[in-house]
Amino acid sequence: NAFDTSLSHSIYTKYLKDFLTVLKRTSVGQTYVPFSMADTAGTEVALSDLAGKGYLLIDFWASWCSPCREENPNLVNMYNTYHEKGFDIFGVSFDNKQDRWMGAIKDDGLTWTHVSDLKGWENAAGKLYGIRSIPSNVLLDTNGVIIGKNLRGEDLQAKLAELFPAPARKK
């Protein structure tokens, strides 16, 4: 809004305003933005089916993304550690080839719900959340409110340990 008025008709100004709107809508403290997409079996799955039932990590990734694949063992470990306590993952793939997407899920042992529209960088959910690079993620609390973004490795481990403290040991 503070730009010179001569720039108000620029496509770049419109692009920036639109992107800022997406970033505000998906910032920490905001309620999740709903979407639905086909899972690996072709069945439509809504984010609302999982959001609000526990802590949920929306993980944006792709089979061809090396940093994503390198993070997957950490996600598997966190899922195995905290799933029974109320943690889930909702994988959103930026793949455009179903066989590669399905192969990566199998090869990496990713046992949680996965969806994709197989449109690569044009992924509809990615656009809703303003995803410009992967891996990216959004962590929702038990009410569907965004409480973290782009938590990976030790940062994700620390956040989950904070959310699911170990029970005190008896002396």
Side-chain angles (χ1 to χ4, degrees):
N1 292 334
F3 284 158
D4 184 292
T5 54
S6 67
L7 298 173
S8 64
H9 299 293
S10 167
I11 60 169
Y12 302 109
T13 303
K14 180 185 178 337
Y15 172 81
L16 263 170
K17 284 183 178 182
D18 291 347
F19 189 60
L20 285 173
T21 298
V22 169
L23 291 180
K24 285 179 187 175
R25 186 177 60 221
T26 61
S27 64
V28 171
Q30 299 298 310
T31 302
Y32 75 93
V33 179
F35 66 89
S36 60
M37 204 166 276
D39 67 9
T40 57
T43 304
E44 202 74 11
V45 178
L47 177 59
S48 60
D49 293 343
L50 297 169
K53 293 180 173 54
Y55 291 96
L56 180 67
L57 186 74
I58 307 168
D59 180 44
F60 297 94
W61 74 292
S63 67
W64 44 262
C65 167
S66 295
C68 301
R69 302 292 296 274
E70 290 169 9
E71 178 64 10
N72 281 344
N74 182 53
L75 292 178
V76 169
N77 183 35
M78 294 298 95
Y79 182 82
N80 291 339
T81 301
Y82 296 107
H83 181 66
E84 294 299 319
K85 297 176 182 179
F87 173 67
D88 208 348
I89 301 175
F90 191 63
V92 180
S93 174
F94 277 46
D95 276 280
N96 54 19
K97 293 187 166 111
Q98 184 162 5
D99 60 332
R100 289 187 182 169
W101 173 44
M102 304 277 280
I105 291 169
K106 182 177 184 278
D107 292 347
D108 293 359
L110 312 180
T111 57
W112 48 86
T113 303
H114 291 273
V115 296
S116 183
D117 56 13
L118 297 173
K119 293 182 179 176
W121 283 106
E122 296 302 311
N123 181 284
K127 288 185 176 293
L128 282 175
Y129 280 83
I131 304 302
R132 311 304 263 170
S133 64
I134 53 175
S136 287
N137 62 49
V138 175
L139 182 62
L140 307 180
D141 72 5
T142 57
N143 297 310
V145 174
I146 298 169
I147 59 169
K149 293 178 84 171
N150 297 319
L151 299 168
R152 291 189 288 280
E154 292 178 4
D155 292 335
L156 178 60
Q157 291 172 13
K159 184 65 173 180
L160 292 177
E162 173 189 315
L163 296 171
F164 300 102
R169 292 186 177 168
K170 293 182 181 178
K171 293 181 180 181

Coordinates of all heavy atoms in Angstrom, one line a residue, residues 116-146:
S116 N -1.8 -35.9 -3.7 CA -1.2 -35.1 -4.8 C -2.2 -34.9 -5.9 O -3.0 -35.8 -6.1 CB 0.1 -35.9 -5.3 OG 0.7 -35.0 -6.3
D117 N -2.1 -33.8 -6.6 CA -2.8 -33.6 -7.8 C -2.0 -33.9 -9.0 O -2.4 -33.7 -10.1 CB -3.5 -32.2 -7.8 CG -2.5 -31.1 -7.7 OD1 -1.3 -31.3 -7.8 OD2 -2.9 -29.9 -7.5
L118 N -0.7 -34.3 -8.8 CA 0.2 -34.6 -9.8 C 0.5 -33.5 -10.8 O 0.7 -33.7 -12.0 CB -0.2 -35.9 -10.5 CG -0.2 -37.2 -9.6 CD1 -0.8 -38.4 -10.4 CD2 1.2 -37.5 -9.1
K119 N 0.5 -32.3 -10.3 CA 0.7 -31.1 -11.1 C 2.0 -30.4 -10.8 O 2.2 -29.2 -11.2 CB -0.5 -30.1 -10.9 CG -1.8 -30.6 -11.5 CD -2.9 -29.6 -11.3 CE -4.2 -30.1 -11.8 NZ -5.3 -29.2 -11.6
G120 N 2.9 -31.1 -10.1 CA 4.2 -30.5 -9.8 C 4.1 -29.2 -9.1 O 3.4 -29.1 -8.1
W121 N 4.9 -28.2 -9.6 CA 4.9 -26.9 -8.9 C 3.5 -26.1 -9.0 O 3.3 -25.1 -8.3 CB 6.0 -26.0 -9.5 CG 7.3 -26.4 -8.9 CD1 8.3 -27.1 -9.6 CD2 7.8 -26.3 -7.6 NE1 9.4 -27.3 -8.8 CE2 9.1 -26.8 -7.5 CE3 7.3 -25.7 -6.5 CZ2 9.9 -26.9 -6.4 CZ3 8.1 -25.7 -5.3 CH2 9.3 -26.3 -5.3
E122 N 2.6 -26.6 -9.8 CA 1.3 -26.0 -9.9 C 0.3 -26.7 -8.8 O -0.9 -26.5 -8.9 CB 0.7 -26.2 -11.3 CG 1.5 -25.4 -12.3 CD 1.6 -23.9 -12.0 OE1 0.5 -23.3 -11.8 OE2 2.7 -23.4 -12.1
N123 N 0.9 -27.4 -7.9 CA 0.0 -28.1 -6.9 C -0.9 -27.1 -6.2 O -0.4 -26.1 -5.7 CB 1.0 -28.8 -5.8 CG 0.2 -29.5 -4.8 OD1 -0.3 -28.9 -3.9 ND2 0.2 -30.8 -4.9
A124 N -2.2 -27.4 -6.2 CA -3.2 -26.5 -5.7 C -3.0 -26.2 -4.2 O -3.1 -25.0 -3.8 CB -4.6 -27.0 -5.9
A125 N -2.7 -27.2 -3.4 CA -2.5 -27.0 -2.0 C -1.2 -26.1 -1.7 O -1.2 -25.3 -0.8 CB -2.4 -28.3 -1.2
G126 N -0.2 -26.4 -2.5 CA 1.0 -25.6 -2.4 C 0.8 -24.1 -2.7 O 1.3 -23.2 -2.0
K127 N -0.1 -23.8 -3.6 CA -0.4 -22.4 -3.9 C -1.2 -21.8 -2.8 O -1.0 -20.7 -2.4 CB -1.3 -22.4 -5.2 CG -0.4 -22.6 -6.5 CD -1.2 -22.4 -7.7 CE -0.4 -22.6 -9.0 NZ 0.6 -21.5 -9.1
L128 N -2.1 -22.6 -2.2 CA -2.9 -22.1 -1.0 C -2.0 -21.7 0.1 O -2.3 -20.8 0.9 CB -3.9 -23.1 -0.6 CG -5.2 -23.4 -1.4 CD1 -6.0 -24.5 -0.8 CD2 -6.0 -22.1 -1.4
Y129 N -0.9 -22.5 0.3 CA 0.0 -22.2 1.4 C 1.2 -21.4 1.1 O 2.1 -21.2 1.9 CB 0.4 -23.6 2.1 CG -0.7 -24.1 3.0 CD1 -1.8 -24.8 2.5 CD2 -0.7 -23.8 4.4 CE1 -2.8 -25.2 3.3 CE2 -1.7 -24.2 5.2 CZ -2.8 -24.9 4.7 OH -3.8 -25.3 5.5
G130 N 1.3 -20.9 -0.2 CA 2.4 -20.1 -0.6 C 3.7 -20.8 -0.6 O 4.8 -20.2 -0.3
I131 N 3.7 -22.1 -0.9 CA 4.9 -22.9 -0.9 C 5.8 -22.5 -2.1 O 5.3 -22.7 -3.3 CB 4.6 -24.4 -0.9 CG1 3.7 -24.8 0.3 CG2 5.9 -25.2 -0.9 CD1 4.3 -24.4 1.7
R132 N 7.0 -22.1 -1.9 CA 7.9 -21.7 -3.0 C 9.1 -22.6 -3.1 O 9.9 -22.5 -4.0 CB 8.4 -20.2 -2.7 CG 7.3 -19.2 -2.4 CD 6.3 -19.2 -3.5 NE 6.5 -18.1 -4.4 CZ 5.8 -18.0 -5.5 NH1 4.9 -18.8 -5.8 NH2 6.1 -17.0 -6.3
S133 N 9.3 -23.4 -2.1 CA 10.4 -24.4 -2.1 C 10.0 -25.6 -1.2 O 9.2 -25.4 -0.3 CB 11.7 -23.7 -1.6 OG 11.6 -23.4 -0.2
I134 N 10.6 -26.7 -1.5 CA 10.4 -27.9 -0.7 C 11.7 -28.5 -0.3 O 12.7 -28.3 -1.0 CB 9.5 -28.9 -1.5 CG1 10.1 -29.3 -2.9 CG2 8.1 -28.4 -1.6 CD1 9.3 -30.3 -3.6
P135 N 11.8 -29.2 0.8 CA 10.7 -29.5 1.7 C 10.2 -28.2 2.5 O 11.0 -27.4 2.8 CB 11.3 -30.5 2.7 CG 12.8 -30.2 2.7 CD 13.1 -29.7 1.3
S136 N 8.9 -28.2 2.7 CA 8.3 -27.2 3.5 C 7.2 -27.9 4.3 O 6.7 -29.0 3.9 CB 7.6 -26.1 2.7 OG 8.5 -25.3 2.1
N137 N 6.9 -27.4 5.5 CA 5.8 -28.0 6.2 C 5.1 -26.9 7.1 O 5.6 -25.8 7.3 CB 6.3 -29.2 7.1 CG 7.3 -28.8 8.1 OD1 7.2 -27.8 8.8 ND2 8.4 -29.6 8.1
V138 N 3.9 -27.3 7.6 CA 3.1 -26.5 8.5 C 2.6 -27.4 9.6 O 2.1 -28.5 9.3 CB 1.9 -25.9 7.7 CG1 1.0 -25.1 8.6 CG2 2.4 -25.0 6.5
L139 N 2.8 -27.0 10.8 CA 2.4 -27.8 12.0 C 1.1 -27.2 12.6 O 1.1 -26.0 12.9 CB 3.5 -27.8 13.0 CG 3.2 -28.7 14.3 CD1 3.0 -30.1 13.9 CD2 4.3 -28.5 15.3
L140 N 0.1 -28.0 12.7 CA -1.2 -27.6 13.3 C -1.3 -28.1 14.7 O -0.9 -29.3 14.9 CB -2.4 -28.1 12.4 CG -2.3 -27.8 10.9 CD1 -3.6 -28.4 10.3 CD2 -2.2 -26.3 10.7
D141 N -2.0 -27.4 15.5 CA -2.3 -27.9 16.9 C -3.6 -28.6 16.9 O -4.2 -28.9 15.8 CB -2.3 -26.7 17.9 CG -3.5 -25.8 17.8 OD1 -4.4 -26.0 17.0 OD2 -3.5 -24.8 18.5
T142 N -4.1 -29.0 18.0 CA -5.3 -29.8 18.1 C -6.5 -29.1 17.8 O -7.6 -29.7 17.6 CB -5.4 -30.4 19.6 OG1 -5.4 -29.3 20.5 CG2 -4.2 -31.3 19.9
N143 N -6.5 -27.8 17.6 CA -7.6 -27.0 17.1 C -7.5 -26.6 15.7 O -8.3 -25.8 15.2 CB -7.7 -25.8 18.0 CG -8.0 -26.1 19.4 OD1 -8.9 -26.9 19.7 ND2 -7.2 -25.5 20.3
G144 N -6.5 -27.1 15.0 CA -6.3 -26.7 13.6 C -5.6 -25.4 13.4 O -5.7 -24.8 12.3
V145 N -5.0 -24.9 14.4 CA -4.3 -23.6 14.3 C -2.8 -23.8 14.0 O -2.2 -24.7 14.5 CB -4.4 -22.8 15.6 CG1 -3.6 -21.5 15.6 CG2 -5.9 -22.5 15.9
I146 N -2.3 -23.0 13.1 CA -0.8 -23.1 12.7 C 0.0 -22.7 13.8 O -0.1 -21.6 14.3 CB -0.6 -22.3 11.4 CG1 -1.4 -22.8 10.3 CG2 0.9 -22.3 11.1 CD1 -1.4 -21.9 9.0

